Amino acid sequence: MKTMMLVTAASLALAPAAFAASQHHHHRTAKTVVANEPRERLGTLNCQIDGGIGLLIGSKKNVTCEFRQRSGKVERYAGSIGKIGLDVGITGKTYMSWVVVNTQPARVGDGALAGSYVGASASASVGIGLGANALVGGSAKNFALQPLSGEAGTGLNVAAGVSRLQLQLGS
């Protein structure tokens, strides 16, 4: 419960910046939304990351995510997140939340977020922990997960380096 409260608080802290980026119009089609203006807020990506052991120079963990579009439509994704750099310790399940914006005109929906994302990350936990991640990517490198993710988890861990998030459309 405390973990979810921390994730919620982190997400709410990002809301004013995201709201400013969301004041553009979308063109709707039957199943997708097209974002024509750069830096439009498209929705929120909430992920649950499996616990595990961080090795000295990196780690890789499974992730399940839910993308909630501004229209209310929800898409589920699965994949993995890995870190290259310092990653030492043990973590339990971790929860991350990002504001999703486009970096160029892009369609949204029907698995559009699938692809690879790369960026900087840092986190620490002694019992309950916090972290930050800024990632850019997608199938055409046209999405940014930002401004920084809110991360909440448990464990004893220190990590900093480059993160790579791989997403595929789930069921």
Side-chain angles (χ1 to χ4, degrees):
M1 183 68 171
K2 289 181 183 178
T3 301
M4 290 306 294
M5 290 172 50
L6 285 171
V7 171
T8 301
S11 296
L12 290 175
L14 301 174
F19 180 77
S22 70
Q23 299 304 304
H24 299 284
H25 298 288
H26 294 289
H27 299 283
R28 297 187 187 280
T29 62
K31 291 188 174 186
T32 62
V33 174
V34 177
N36 290 319
E37 299 295 324
R39 315 299 290 175
E40 287 188 61
R41 180 180 178 268
L42 306 175
T44 305
L45 182 67
N46 297 300
C47 298
Q48 179 178 309
I49 301 165
D50 289 349
I53 297 173
L55 305 174
L56 185 57
I57 57 170
S59 66
K60 185 174 181 181
K61 299 174 185 172
N62 291 329
V63 60
T64 56
C65 301
E66 184 177 277
F67 174 49
R68 182 168 303 276
Q69 297 177 27
R70 287 183 56 207
S71 66
K73 182 180 176 187
V74 175
E75 290 184 327
R76 294 185 191 343
Y77 290 86
S80 63
I81 189 165
K83 290 182 183 162
I84 297 176
L86 176 66
D87 191 354
V88 180
I90 300 172
T91 59
K93 284 186 181 176
T94 304
Y95 301 90
M96 289 186 171
S97 181
W98 286 280
V99 173
V100 179
V101 298
N102 61 315
T103 58
Q104 58 190 345
R107 77 175 171 81
V108 181
D110 299 326
L113 293 187
S116 297
Y117 296 81
V118 178
S121 67
S123 63
S125 60
V126 177
I128 294 179
L130 296 173
N133 296 267
L135 304 173
V136 174
S139 58
K141 307 289 186 255
N142 52 353
F143 296 104
L145 307 180
Q146 65 132 23
L148 293 175
S149 67
E151 175 181 335
T154 60
L156 179 58
N157 181 265
V158 174
V162 176
S163 286
R164 182 172 186 210
L165 175 65
Q166 288 283 130
L167 292 177
Q168 305 94 40
L169 188 61
S171 54

